Amino acid sequence: MRTIAAMDSSPPEVADPATVSDEAPGSPARALPAGLAATLVFVSSGAVLVLETASLRLVGPYVGVTLQVTSSVIGVALAAIAYGAWIGGWLADRRDPRRLLAPALVLAGICTALTLPIVRYAGEVLRGGAAVGILLLTALAIFLPAALLASITPLVVKLQLGDLRQTGQVVGRLSSIGTLGAITATLGTGFVLVAALPSTAIIISLAVLLGVTGLVLAGYLRRQSRDALPKPSRLTAAAAVLGLAGASLSAVAPTPCDVETAYHCASVEADPDNSTGRLLVLNSAWHSYVDLADPGHLEFEYTKWIGAVADVMAPARAPLDAVHLGGGGFTMPRYLTATRPGTRNEVYEIDGELVELGRRELDVRTGPELRARVGDARMLIGERATRSADLVVGDAFGHLVVPWHLATREMAAEVRRVVRPGGIYAQNVIDQPPLRFIRAEVATVAAEFPHVALVAPPAALAGSQGANFVILASDQPLPVEEVRERLITSADDPVTVLSGPALDEFVDDAMVLTDEYAPVDQLLATA
């Protein structure tokens, strides 16, 4: 028969959960100084947003700068933050966070340095607008370094929770500091860093900052722990070598930019068939062609269509007052100055560095007949006097997409206000089958202008290929027949001018875009 040992009849002591030390098993966790903990959370959270903003510029030359690309970058960054925070919390409960903080920062720095060569080599393979390529390239650019950075906050939180009665205060304070770091980094990168530094410098500087912070933190923690933490190992040395290799690859990785502006990866290429021909490439897309010796030469078909309109809308060589929404290579202003001496061109270009590139390499000469104003075309046209322009040329693009706020009925109303009676609005649009955007944009312009026509290749109108389309609009009947006749001699490829019932049939019941609802990127999607 089993005997039961006599036991103290008094109830067992139960530890007060409010005083339980929240330490890693087997190690006397010591909280970081409050200032150091706040700094680590602030820097790591901010670094994620610097990386996210800079990554938009890194992937832009290969997959464009569209809503889908922006959404992919944001989505991948959020996924990295979620997984990084989860893994960081999981590790904090199983390991001494002091052993993990410095390696996480150093590894984040190494992965950040490796982002440049990875994106630039992979971008050449994944170039294009396919959804899979966009997601894969953005993941390669962001996910791993952002996940490592996101793991920092739960590791710090674990160290600071010495008293569970202060859990809410500690977590709330560090969460707010992380959010402030993200806000500071977002504004600082968007308003300062991108305008002052190329993407390569931003990424390398961030990588160095994270690596140095990790190394300094490792030394500090080792001194505080009196050698309780392990000394650098061969693995650490290998990681350092990998980081240096990543920085070296960044220096030799191919870049598609001659100049990186605040908005574009820009380059000017010489035409091998024409010694004076120059091609302006923005984010790997052809945007403008300029003949330095012949400003009257128009290379791209859509420029010939706009040139034909400008040729027939007024007596030959009579000067015009022209407004250009988007400058690019300044092809059309140069053409109007050459064919209509005395024409007063006012160009609205959001990218001031692109204007400077034009002055340096594309023979752009500003003066009384060519005024370049740097700023958003929607804002600047609002400052233009009513009925002050004979011709308004809309040729502004973000990669291959008309910025949505320049494609709405409200924008068309501003143009109508500026155009004189009998003046013409010529808007360049790019679309591809099933042509939902061009139909919607014609319907939008027609909601403000009583007379509208559309110039495009027959194959594009039939829905068999993507192409440029030029919308013509006026408050008075357009010179449609004159434009058709002019295009017979000036255009190299077949072109159709739609107007009247034929244009109505093409537009059908397409939606009118407004400031309230203008899903431009979705209308451009092929699926």
Side-chain angles (χ1 to χ4, degrees), residues 85-356:
W86 174 58
I87 293 171
W90 184 86
L91 288 172
D93 289 339
R94 289 160 176 78
R95 299 285 187 273
D96 183 352
R98 293 170 303 168
R99 297 175 179 266
L100 302 175
L101 280 171
L105 283 167
V106 173
L107 284 173
I110 292 171
C111 291
T112 299
L114 289 171
T115 292
L116 285 170
I118 288 173
V119 169
R120 286 175 176 168
Y121 285 111
E124 296 297 335
V125 177
L126 299 172
R127 185 184 295 275
V132 173
I134 292 172
L135 287 169
L136 182 55
L137 192 60
T138 54
L140 290 172
I142 301 172
F143 188 84
L144 191 53
L148 287 164
L149 290 166
S151 71
I152 300 296
T153 296
L155 293 173
V156 173
V157 168
K158 178 72 174 185
L159 284 174
Q160 303 310 97
L161 287 178
D163 186 346
L164 294 183
R165 288 173 298 185
Q166 297 180 354
T167 299
Q169 179 181 342
V170 170
V171 174
R173 175 174 173 271
L174 292 176
S175 296
S176 68
I177 290 172
T179 302
L180 288 173
I183 293 171
T184 302
T186 300
L187 297 177
T189 306
F191 283 88
V192 179
L193 293 182
V194 168
L197 299 171
S199 297
T200 299
I202 294 173
I203 294 295
I204 292 298
S205 298
L206 179 62
V208 170
L209 172 65
L210 294 174
V212 170
T213 302
L215 293 174
V216 171
L217 178 65
Y220 169 82
L221 293 176
R222 189 172 297 109
R223 289 193 301 272
Q224 293 298 312
S225 301
R226 296 182 178 85
D227 298 327
L229 295 180
K231 294 182 179 180
S233 64
R234 291 181 179 180
L235 181 61
T236 305
V241 171
L242 182 61
L244 290 173
S248 301
L249 282 173
S250 301
V252 300
T255 173
C257 310
D258 288 342
V259 176
E260 187 175 338
T261 74
Y263 294 90
H264 301 104
C265 165
S267 62
V268 176
E269 301 177 1
D271 183 352
D273 299 323
N274 179 3
S275 62
T276 59
R278 298 292 184 270
L279 183 66
L280 175 65
V281 182
L282 302 180
N283 297 325
S284 298
W286 293 0
H287 268 252
S288 301
Y289 185 98
V290 171
D291 190 325
L292 301 178
D294 182 9
H297 175 75
L298 300 175
E299 181 73 15
F300 294 162
E301 288 298 301
Y302 85 89
T303 61
K304 296 175 182 177
W305 308 339
I306 298 175
V309 173
D311 290 343
V312 303
M313 66 177 294
R317 302 187 69 78
L320 301 174
D321 287 314
V323 175
H324 304 263
L325 313 179
F330 288 70
T331 303
M332 293 313 302
R334 294 175 79 247
Y335 177 82
L336 291 175
T337 299
T339 58
R340 293 184 175 277
T343 292
R344 292 170 292 277
N345 294 284
E346 185 168 74
V347 179
Y348 303 151
E349 172 55 58
I350 197 169
D351 193 342
E353 293 173 86
L354 194 60
V355 176
E356 293 304 316

Side-chain angles (χ1 to χ4, degrees), residues 496-527:
T496 297
V497 182
L498 281 184
S499 63
L503 182 59
D504 294 338
E505 182 180 354
F506 173 78
V507 174
D508 198 17
D509 59 350
M511 67 183 298
V512 173
L513 307 177
T514 65
D515 285 352
E516 180 69 21
Y517 186 55
V520 171
D521 291 271
Q522 289 78 9
L523 291 171
L524 284 164
T526 56

